[in-house]
Amino acid sequence: MKTLRLACSALGWCVILAFVLPLGAAYLLGLSPVAAGALIASAFVIEDGSIPIGIGLGLPVQYVVPVATSVEAGIFLGLFGIFDAIGTASGHVAAFLDWTRRMTARSWMFERYGIYGLVPAEILIGVYLCSPASWLFGWQKWRSFAITMAGYCVSAAAITLATLGFIHYFLPLL
């Protein structure tokens, strides 16, 4: 039952952050549900690359960036929770986790600074690597979440500024 409870909690976080909040906000703001759905779907596939898509669909930047961030948060918490559920359900997985954590504890540098590697990993690869890596190395869930989201916010800000600059300076010339 504990495993099922953990898995349901993880999926609940994912559904609330990735679907309920963004679609509820779109409804309250009177935005197109189709455009909001396209933004959410693209955020699942290309993560921060969904920001130019949302802006290109005519959604306001003030909606696009928080929604993409919310979807990203939902993905991280959902994946971490599902991996946690698997780790508690399977003795083989728990033994592998224990072995991995003992191996990484041998390196004081990795033990102390390894979690900060989530920032460039998020920027370059994305949340689909950061969440499993955080779980695998036994890093604290909420600390890993905060560091991953910090990396995402840096990337999202750069992409948003680049998109707005591109639209503002290059499209009027065409």
Side-chain angles (χ1 to χ4, degrees), residues 51-117:
I51 292 171
I53 292 172
I55 293 170
L57 289 171
L59 295 171
V61 176
Q62 298 86 347
Y63 173 78
V64 171
V65 174
V67 164
T69 305
S70 182
V71 171
E72 191 81 2
I75 293 169
F76 183 93
L77 294 174
L79 283 175
F80 199 99
I82 288 172
F83 288 130
D84 245 2
I86 293 169
T88 60
S90 170
H92 293 296
V93 174
F96 177 71
L97 284 176
D98 184 49
W99 176 80
T100 304
R101 291 169 184 165
R102 278 186 282 125
M103 294 301 287
T104 57
R106 290 181 184 174
S107 168
W108 69 271
M109 196 161 178
F110 186 81
E111 183 71 24
R112 187 166 193 180
Y113 301 111
I115 195 168
Y116 298 113

Coordinates of all heavy atoms in Angstrom, one line a residue, residues 51-117:
I51 N 8.7 27.4 -24.8 CA 8.4 28.9 -24.6 C 8.2 29.6 -26.0 O 7.3 30.3 -26.1 CB 9.5 29.5 -23.7 CG1 9.4 28.9 -22.3 CG2 9.4 31.0 -23.7 CD1 10.5 29.2 -21.4
P52 N 9.1 29.4 -27.0 CA 8.9 30.1 -28.2 C 7.6 29.6 -28.9 O 6.9 30.4 -29.6 CB 10.1 29.7 -29.1 CG 11.1 29.3 -28.1 CD 10.4 28.8 -26.9
I53 N 7.2 28.3 -28.7 CA 6.0 27.8 -29.3 C 4.8 28.6 -28.7 O 3.9 29.0 -29.4 CB 5.9 26.3 -29.1 CG1 6.9 25.6 -30.0 CG2 4.5 25.8 -29.4 CD1 7.1 24.2 -29.7
G54 N 4.8 28.7 -27.3 CA 3.7 29.4 -26.7 C 3.6 30.8 -27.1 O 2.5 31.3 -27.3
I55 N 4.7 31.5 -27.2 CA 4.7 32.9 -27.6 C 4.2 33.0 -29.1 O 3.5 33.9 -29.4 CB 6.1 33.5 -27.4 CG1 6.4 33.6 -25.9 CG2 6.2 34.9 -28.0 CD1 7.8 34.0 -25.6
G56 N 4.7 32.1 -29.9 CA 4.3 32.0 -31.3 C 2.8 31.8 -31.5 O 2.2 32.2 -32.4
L57 N 2.2 31.0 -30.5 CA 0.8 30.8 -30.6 C -0.1 32.0 -30.1 O -1.3 31.9 -30.1 CB 0.4 29.5 -29.8 CG 0.9 28.2 -30.3 CD1 0.7 27.1 -29.3 CD2 0.1 27.9 -31.6
G58 N 0.6 33.0 -29.7 CA -0.1 34.2 -29.3 C -0.4 34.3 -27.8 O -1.2 35.2 -27.4
L59 N 0.1 33.4 -27.0 CA -0.1 33.4 -25.6 C 0.8 34.5 -25.0 O 1.9 34.6 -25.4 CB 0.1 32.0 -25.0 CG -0.8 30.9 -25.4 CD1 -0.3 29.6 -24.9 CD2 -2.2 31.2 -24.9
P60 N 0.3 35.2 -24.0 CA 1.2 36.2 -23.3 C 2.4 35.6 -22.6 O 2.3 34.5 -22.0 CB 0.3 36.9 -22.4 CG -0.9 36.0 -22.2 CD -1.0 35.1 -23.4
V61 N 3.5 36.3 -22.6 CA 4.7 35.8 -22.0 C 4.5 35.5 -20.5 O 5.0 34.6 -19.9 CB 5.9 36.8 -22.2 CG1 7.1 36.4 -21.5 CG2 6.1 37.0 -23.7
Q62 N 3.7 36.4 -19.9 CA 3.4 36.3 -18.5 C 2.6 35.0 -18.1 O 2.6 34.6 -17.0 CB 2.6 37.5 -18.0 CG 3.3 38.8 -18.1 CD 3.1 39.4 -19.5 OE1 2.6 38.8 -20.4 NE2 3.4 40.7 -19.6
Y63 N 2.0 34.4 -19.1 CA 1.4 33.1 -19.0 C 2.3 31.9 -19.4 O 2.4 30.9 -18.7 CB 0.1 33.0 -19.8 CG -0.6 31.7 -19.8 CD1 -1.3 31.2 -18.7 CD2 -0.4 30.8 -20.9 CE1 -1.9 30.0 -18.7 CE2 -1.0 29.6 -20.9 CZ -1.8 29.2 -19.8 OH -2.4 27.9 -19.8
V64 N 3.0 32.1 -20.4 CA 3.8 31.0 -21.0 C 4.9 30.6 -20.1 O 5.1 29.4 -19.8 CB 4.4 31.5 -22.4 CG1 5.4 30.5 -22.9 CG2 3.3 31.7 -23.4
V65 N 5.7 31.5 -19.5 CA 6.8 31.1 -18.7 C 6.4 30.4 -17.4 O 7.0 29.4 -17.1 CB 7.7 32.3 -18.4 CG1 8.8 32.0 -17.5 CG2 8.3 32.9 -19.7
P66 N 5.4 30.9 -16.7 CA 5.0 30.2 -15.5 C 4.4 28.8 -15.8 O 4.6 27.9 -15.0 CB 3.9 31.1 -14.8 CG 4.3 32.4 -15.3 CD 4.8 32.3 -16.7
V67 N 3.7 28.7 -16.9 CA 3.1 27.4 -17.3 C 4.2 26.4 -17.6 O 4.2 25.3 -17.2 CB 2.1 27.6 -18.4 CG1 1.8 26.2 -19.1 CG2 0.8 28.2 -17.9
A68 N 5.2 26.8 -18.4 CA 6.3 25.9 -18.8 C 7.0 25.5 -17.5 O 7.4 24.4 -17.4 CB 7.2 26.6 -19.8
T69 N 7.2 26.5 -16.6 CA 7.9 26.1 -15.3 C 7.1 25.2 -14.5 O 7.6 24.3 -13.9 CB 8.2 27.4 -14.6 OG1 8.9 28.3 -15.4 CG2 9.0 27.2 -13.3
S70 N 5.8 25.4 -14.5 CA 4.9 24.5 -13.7 C 4.9 23.1 -14.3 O 4.9 22.1 -13.5 CB 3.5 25.1 -13.7 OG 2.6 24.3 -12.9
V71 N 4.9 23.0 -15.6 CA 4.9 21.6 -16.2 C 6.3 21.0 -15.9 O 6.3 19.8 -15.5 CB 4.7 21.7 -17.7 CG1 5.0 20.4 -18.4 CG2 3.3 22.2 -18.0
E72 N 7.3 21.7 -15.9 CA 8.6 21.2 -15.6 C 8.7 20.7 -14.1 O 9.2 19.6 -13.8 CB 9.7 22.3 -15.8 CG 11.1 21.8 -15.7 CD 11.5 21.2 -17.0 OE1 10.8 21.2 -18.0 OE2 12.7 20.7 -17.1
A73 N 8.1 21.5 -13.2 CA 8.0 21.1 -11.8 C 7.2 19.8 -11.7 O 7.6 18.9 -10.9 CB 7.5 22.2 -11.0
G74 N 6.1 19.7 -12.4 CA 5.3 18.5 -12.3 C 6.0 17.3 -12.8 O 5.9 16.2 -12.2
I75 N 6.8 17.4 -13.9 CA 7.6 16.3 -14.4 C 8.6 15.9 -13.4 O 8.7 14.7 -13.1 CB 8.3 16.7 -15.7 CG1 7.2 17.0 -16.8 CG2 9.2 15.6 -16.2 CD1 7.8 17.6 -18.1
F76 N 9.3 16.8 -12.8 CA 10.4 16.4 -11.8 C 9.7 15.7 -10.6 O 10.2 14.6 -10.3 CB 11.1 17.7 -11.3 CG 12.2 17.3 -10.4 CD1 13.5 17.2 -10.8 CD2 12.0 17.2 -9.0 CE1 14.5 16.8 -10.0 CE2 13.0 16.9 -8.1 CZ 14.3 16.7 -8.6
L77 N 8.7 16.3 -10.0 CA 8.1 15.7 -8.9 C 7.5 14.3 -9.2 O 7.5 13.4 -8.4 CB 7.2 16.6 -8.2 CG 7.8 17.9 -7.6 CD1 6.7 18.9 -7.1 CD2 8.8 17.5 -6.5
G78 N 6.8 14.3 -10.4 CA 6.2 13.0 -10.8 C 7.2 11.9 -11.0 O 7.1 10.8 -10.4
L79 N 8.3 12.2 -11.7 CA 9.3 11.2 -11.9 C 10.0 10.7 -10.6 O 10.2 9.6 -10.4 CB 10.4 11.7 -12.9 CG 10.0 11.7 -14.4 CD1 11.1 12.4 -15.2 CD2 9.7 10.3 -14.9
F80 N 10.4 11.7 -9.8 CA 11.0 11.4 -8.5 C 10.2 10.5 -7.7 O 10.6 9.6 -7.1 CB 11.4 12.7 -7.8 CG 12.5 12.5 -6.8 CD1 13.8 12.8 -7.1 CD2 12.2 12.0 -5.5 CE1 14.8 12.7 -6.1 CE2 13.2 11.9 -4.6 CZ 14.5 12.2 -4.9
G81 N 8.9 10.9 -7.6 CA 8.0 10.1 -6.8 C 7.8 8.7 -7.3 O 7.7 7.7 -6.5
I82 N 7.7 8.5 -8.6 CA 7.5 7.2 -9.2 C 8.8 6.4 -8.9 O 8.7 5.2 -8.6 CB 7.2 7.3 -10.7 CG1 5.8 7.8 -10.8 CG2 7.4 5.9 -11.4 CD1 5.4 8.1 -12.3
F83 N 10.0 7.0 -9.1 CA 11.2 6.2 -8.8 C 11.3 5.9 -7.3 O 11.7 4.8 -7.0 CB 12.4 7.0 -9.2 CG 12.6 7.1 -10.7 CD1 12.8 8.3 -11.3 CD2 12.6 6.0 -11.5 CE1 13.0 8.4 -12.7 CE2 12.8 6.1 -12.8 CZ 13.0 7.3 -13.4
D84 N 10.8 6.8 -6.5 CA 10.7 6.4 -5.0 C 9.8 5.2 -4.8 O 10.2 4.4 -4.0 CB 10.2 7.7 -4.2 CG 11.3 8.2 -3.3 OD1 12.4 7.7 -3.3 OD2 10.9 9.2 -2.6
A85 N 8.7 5.2 -5.4 CA 7.8 4.1 -5.3 C 8.4 2.8 -5.7 O 8.3 1.8 -5.1 CB 6.5 4.4 -6.0
I86 N 9.1 2.8 -6.9 CA 9.8 1.6 -7.4 C 10.9 1.2 -6.4 O 11.0 0.0 -6.1 CB 10.4 1.9 -8.8 CG1 9.2 2.1 -9.8 CG2 11.3 0.8 -9.2 CD1 9.7 2.6 -11.1
G87 N 11.6 2.2 -5.8 CA 12.7 1.9 -4.9 C 12.2 1.2 -3.6 O 12.9 0.4 -3.0
T88 N 11.0 1.6 -3.2 CA 10.4 0.9 -2.0 C 9.8 -0.4 -2.3 O 9.7 -1.2 -1.4 CB 9.4 1.9 -1.3 OG1 8.3 2.1 -2.2 CG2 10.0 3.2 -0.8
A89 N 9.3 -0.6 -3.5 CA 8.6 -1.9 -3.8 C 9.6 -3.0 -4.1 O 9.3 -4.2 -3.9 CB 7.7 -1.6 -5.0
S90 N 10.7 -2.7 -4.7 CA 11.6 -3.7 -5.2 C 12.9 -3.8 -4.3 O 13.6 -2.8 -4.1 CB 12.0 -3.5 -6.6 OG 13.0 -4.3 -7.0
G91 N 13.2 -5.0 -3.8 CA 14.4 -5.2 -3.0 C 15.6 -5.1 -3.9 O 16.7 -4.6 -3.4
H92 N 15.5 -5.5 -5.2 CA 16.7 -5.4 -6.1 C 17.0 -4.0 -6.3 O 18.2 -3.6 -6.3 CB 16.4 -6.1 -7.4 CG 16.3 -7.6 -7.2 ND1 17.3 -8.4 -6.8 CD2 15.2 -8.4 -7.4 CE1 16.9 -9.7 -6.8 NE2 15.6 -9.7 -7.2
V93 N 16.0 -3.1 -6.5 CA 16.3 -1.7 -6.8 C 16.8 -1.1 -5.6 O 17.7 -0.2 -5.6 CB 15.0 -1.0 -7.3 CG1 15.2 0.5 -7.4 CG2 14.5 -1.6 -8.6
A94 N 16.3 -1.4 -4.4 CA 16.8 -0.8 -3.2 C 18.2 -1.2 -2.9 O 19.0 -0.3 -2.5 CB 15.9 -1.3 -2.0
A95 N 18.6 -2.4 -3.2 CA 20.0 -2.8 -3.1 C 20.9 -2.1 -4.1 O 22.0 -1.7 -3.7 CB 20.1 -4.3 -3.3
F96 N 20.4 -1.9 -5.3 CA 21.2 -1.1 -6.3 C 21.4 0.3 -5.8 O 22.5 0.9 -6.0 CB 20.5 -1.2 -7.6 CG 21.2 -0.4 -8.7 CD1 22.4 -0.8 -9.2 CD2 20.6 0.8 -9.2 CE1 23.1 0.0 -10.2 CE2 21.3 1.6 -10.1 CZ 22.5 1.1 -10.6
L97 N 20.3 0.9 -5.3 CA 20.4 2.3 -4.8 C 21.4 2.4 -3.6 O 22.2 3.3 -3.6 CB 19.1 2.7 -4.3 CG 18.1 3.1 -5.3 CD1 16.7 3.5 -4.7 CD2 18.6 4.3 -6.1
D98 N 21.4 1.4 -2.8 CA 22.3 1.4 -1.6 C 23.8 1.3 -2.2 O 24.7 2.0 -1.7 CB 22.0 0.2 -0.7 CG 22.9 0.2 0.5 OD1 23.0 1.3 1.2 OD2 23.5 -0.8 0.8
W99 N 24.0 0.4 -3.1 CA 25.3 0.3 -3.7 C 25.8 1.6 -4.4 O 26.9 2.0 -4.2 CB 25.3 -0.9 -4.7 CG 26.6 -1.0 -5.5 CD1 27.7 -1.6 -5.0 CD2 26.9 -0.5 -6.8 NE1 28.7 -1.6 -5.9 CE2 28.3 -0.9 -7.0 CE3 26.2 0.2 -7.7 CZ2 28.9 -0.6 -8.2 CZ3 26.8 0.5 -8.9 CH2 28.2 0.1 -9.2
T100 N 24.9 2.2 -5.2 CA 25.2 3.5 -5.8 C 25.6 4.6 -4.9 O 26.5 5.3 -5.1 CB 24.0 3.9 -6.7 OG1 23.6 2.9 -7.6 CG2 24.3 5.2 -7.5
R101 N 24.8 4.7 -3.8 CA 25.0 5.7 -2.8 C 26.4 5.5 -2.1 O 27.1 6.4 -1.7 CB 23.9 5.8 -1.9 CG 22.7 6.4 -2.6 CD 21.4 6.3 -1.9 NE 20.3 6.8 -2.8 CZ 19.0 6.6 -2.6 NH1 18.6 5.9 -1.5 NH2 18.1 7.0 -3.4
R102 N 26.7 4.2 -1.8 CA 28.0 3.9 -1.2 C 29.1 4.3 -2.1 O 30.2 4.8 -1.7 CB 28.1 2.5 -0.8 CG 27.4 2.2 0.5 CD 27.6 0.8 1.0 NE 26.7 -0.1 0.3 CZ 27.1 -1.2 -0.4 NH1 28.3 -1.6 -0.4 NH2 26.2 -1.9 -1.1
M103 N 29.0 4.0 -3.4 CA 30.0 4.3 -4.4 C 30.3 5.8 -4.5 O 31.4 6.3 -4.6 CB 29.7 3.7 -5.8 CG 29.7 2.2 -5.8 SD 31.2 1.5 -5.4 CE 32.2 1.9 -6.8
T104 N 29.2 6.6 -4.6 CA 29.3 8.0 -4.7 C 29.8 8.7 -3.4 O 30.5 9.7 -3.4 CB 28.0 8.7 -5.1 OG1 27.0 8.4 -4.1 CG2 27.6 8.3 -6.5
A105 N 29.6 8.0 -2.2 CA 30.0 8.6 -1.0 C 31.6 8.5 -0.8 O 32.2 9.2 0.0 CB 29.4 7.8 0.2
R106 N 32.2 7.7 -1.7 CA 33.7 7.5 -1.6 C 34.4 8.8 -2.1 O 35.5 9.0 -1.8 CB 34.1 6.3 -2.5 CG 33.7 5.0 -1.8 CD 34.2 3.9 -2.7 NE 33.8 2.6 -2.1 CZ 34.0 1.5 -2.7 NH1 34.6 1.4 -3.9 NH2 33.5 0.4 -2.2
S107 N 33.7 9.5 -3.0 CA 34.3 10.7 -3.5 C 33.8 11.9 -2.7 O 32.6 12.3 -2.8 CB 33.9 10.9 -5.0 OG 34.2 12.2 -5.4
W108 N 34.6 12.6 -1.9 CA 34.2 13.7 -1.1 C 33.7 14.9 -2.0 O 32.8 15.6 -1.7 CB 35.2 14.1 -0.1 CG 36.4 14.8 -0.8 CD1 37.6 14.2 -1.3 CD2 36.6 16.2 -1.1 NE1 38.4 15.1 -1.8 CE2 37.8 16.3 -1.7 CE3 35.8 17.3 -0.9 CZ2 38.3 17.5 -2.2 CZ3 36.3 18.5 -1.4 CH2 37.5 18.6 -2.0
M109 N 34.4 15.0 -3.2 CA 34.0 16.1 -4.0 C 32.6 15.9 -4.6 O 31.8 16.8 -4.7 CB 35.1 16.2 -5.1 CG 35.0 17.5 -5.9 SD 36.6 17.7 -6.7 CE 36.3 19.3 -7.5
F110 N 32.4 14.7 -5.1 CA 31.0 14.4 -5.6 C 30.0 14.5 -4.5 O 28.9 15.0 -4.8 CB 31.0 13.0 -6.3 CG 29.7 12.7 -7.0 CD1 29.5 13.2 -8.2 CD2 28.7 12.0 -6.3 CE1 28.3 12.9 -8.9 CE2 27.5 11.7 -7.0 CZ 27.3 12.2 -8.3
E111 N 30.3 14.0 -3.4 CA 29.4 14.0 -2.2 C 29.0 15.4 -1.9 O 27.9 15.7 -1.5 CB 30.0 13.3 -1.0 CG 29.1 13.2 0.2 CD 28.0 12.2 0.0 OE1 28.1 11.3 -0.8 OE2 27.0 12.4 0.7
R112 N 30.0 16.3 -1.9 CA 29.8 17.7 -1.5 C 29.2 18.6 -2.6 O 28.3 19.4 -2.4 CB 31.1 18.3 -1.0 CG 30.9 19.6 -0.4 CD 32.2 20.0 0.4 NE 31.8 21.2 1.2 CZ 32.7 21.7 2.0 NH1 33.9 21.2 2.1 NH2 32.4 22.8 2.7
Y113 N 29.7 18.4 -3.8 CA 29.3 19.4 -4.9 C 28.6 18.7 -6.1 O 28.2 19.4 -7.0 CB 30.6 20.0 -5.5 CG 31.4 20.8 -4.5 CD1 32.6 20.3 -4.1 CD2 30.9 21.9 -3.9 CE1 33.4 21.0 -3.1 CE2 31.6 22.6 -3.0 CZ 32.9 22.2 -2.6 OH 33.6 22.8 -1.6
G114 N 28.4 17.4 -6.0 CA 27.7 16.8 -7.1 C 26.3 17.3 -7.5 O 25.9 17.3 -8.6
I115 N 25.6 17.6 -6.4 CA 24.2 18.1 -6.7 C 24.1 19.3 -7.5 O 23.2 19.6 -8.2 CB 23.5 18.3 -5.3 CG1 22.0 18.4 -5.5 CG2 24.0 19.4 -4.5 CD1 21.1 18.2 -4.3
Y116 N 25.2 20.2 -7.5 CA 25.2 21.4 -8.2 C 25.4 21.1 -9.7 O 25.1 22.0 -10.5 CB 26.3 22.3 -7.7 CG 26.0 22.7 -6.3 CD1 26.9 22.3 -5.3 CD2 24.9 23.5 -5.9 CE1 26.6 22.6 -3.9 CE2 24.6 23.8 -4.6 CZ 25.5 23.4 -3.6 OH 25.2 23.7 -2.3
G117 N 25.7 19.9 -10.1 CA 25.8 19.5 -11.5 C 24.4 19.5 -12.1 O 24.2 19.4 -13.3

